[in-house]
Amino acid sequence: MRGRIAHATTVHQPFDPRIFHRELRTLAQAGYDAHLIAPHAHDERAAGVAITALPRVASRGARWRLQAPLLAALWRLRPALLHVHDPEVLPAAFLAKRALGLRVIYDKHEHHLGRGLLGVVIRALEAWAYRWLDHVLLAEEAYAPFVHGVPATYVGNYVAPFSRPVAETTRRHGVERRLVQTGVLSRDRGLDRLLHLAAAIRRRGLPWRLDLIGVCHLEADRRWAEARVQAWGLGSVVRFVGWSRYVPWHDLMAQAAGADAGLFLAHPIPNHRLSLHTKFYEYLALGLPIVCSAVDRWRAFVEREGVGLAVEAHEAEATLDALVHLFADAPRYDAYVHAAQAAAPRYRWNAMADRLLEVYEAVLAP
């Protein structure tokens, strides 16, 4: 056993793809005594990782009340290294570092740009933490210029190993089409654009289906979307998978397998523009052509890899035209599929797993 390490989150699901399926499973397989402290129904052990349950809370404000039970769990575990995933956890990490002498890694999942006063507060909290953290992991290379005074390493959300379901390849040249968008669903991630696209599909009488696979955390967004699905008669076009509940990563991948294209029609808000979202890599792993909003970073990726196209996603009819033309052009469509399959191995987790282990070895070195 290489020593006890603990990951802590008050925001994410315990089986979050990055935290659990990529990082913690890698660390457990490498011989670390791996623990996760996170909101959960009960303590348990899964895939070699011991999970210590924190109470589940319903709001960002209530998360601050988890500092005390988090500190109590750390006091019991006394890990050599604490790996935190949320800015809200940084104060507790600071206290634990002072009280227990442990090393602390901060995993920067996003940059919080364009989030008003909340974003300013979070970035100020991070700037304070950079003075005492031992290392920062970056989910995006573009975050590096914003981290100062502490070593930082890019560990991207490449695709972890999974049992790939059998794709419905026979559908790819048929009349029916299935489009998917996976991951967290919200209006800023294109939920409104997806429903307008579904309405355009219905108006044209196309036998297509749009599967939205993931959780929508905001009740207001769920009510808004459900009202429009009903008012616009989209029940035969739109299918929600998960919606009010988290979809485990392996289930999400199984649901998306066999689709005809993977969508990401998010709005170009600052916090999105810096990120190459995980779904891009997951779509490649499933051999899906990608159709995304015309954000510079996303357009550059799909064009460089030759795996899809960027569209003016705020125009539903134009987005639908692009999809119709893509599916009608079989050689072009097949080229995107083959390019996705060829690109997928470059974005597998193995390389990032090695990088993660090197960071741990360096931080834990005497």
Side-chain angles (χ1 to χ4, degrees), residues 133-271:
L133 287 165
D134 295 286
H135 209 98
V136 175
L137 296 187
L138 309 171
E140 298 286 346
E141 290 180 289
Y143 300 162
F146 304 100
V147 178
H148 303 283
V150 59
T153 300
Y154 168 58
V155 176
N157 285 323
Y158 288 7
V159 176
F162 68 101
S163 298
R164 180 177 175 179
V166 177
E168 300 169 49
T169 52
T170 55
R171 295 187 56 185
R172 289 190 164 152
H173 294 307
V175 175
E176 295 182 0
R177 295 291 175 180
R178 185 165 73 95
L179 313 173
V180 297
Q181 181 162 315
T182 62
V184 174
L185 298 166
S186 62
R187 275 189 268 189
D188 71 317
R189 290 174 181 253
L191 182 57
D192 53 345
R193 294 173 167 186
L194 291 161
L195 294 187
H196 281 288
L197 174 61
I201 291 170
R202 182 180 181 277
R203 283 194 299 272
R204 295 197 197 180
L206 296 171
W208 293 11
R209 193 175 81 203
L210 174 59
D211 288 353
L212 304 182
I213 307 168
V215 63
C216 180
H217 293 296
L218 301 175
E219 185 179 353
D221 280 2
R222 291 201 302 272
R223 289 199 306 267
W224 176 88
E226 289 162 4
R228 274 146 188 80
V229 168
Q230 183 174 6
W232 297 349
L234 302 180
S236 63
V237 180
V238 176
R239 184 173 74 113
F240 296 113
V241 179
W243 194 228
S244 61
R245 61 173 179 81
Y246 177 74
V247 180
W249 180 69
H250 285 88
D251 293 344
L252 180 147
M253 294 293 282
Q255 289 283 347
D260 296 289
L263 307 182
F264 191 43
L265 304 185
H267 291 258
I269 64 174
N271 200 37

Side-chain angles (χ1 to χ4, degrees), residues 327-350:
F327 293 142
D329 187 345
R332 181 187 179 199
Y333 179 85
D334 289 343
Y336 286 159
V337 170
H338 296 149
Q341 293 168 340
R346 294 195 289 276
Y347 300 102
R348 289 182 182 149
W349 172 246
N350 308 56

Side-chain angles (χ1 to χ4, degrees), residues 305-324:
E305 298 291 352
V307 295
L309 63 152
V311 297
E312 297 299 332
H314 60 284
E315 299 177 2
E317 293 291 343
T319 300
L320 182 53
D321 284 341
L323 286 162
V324 169

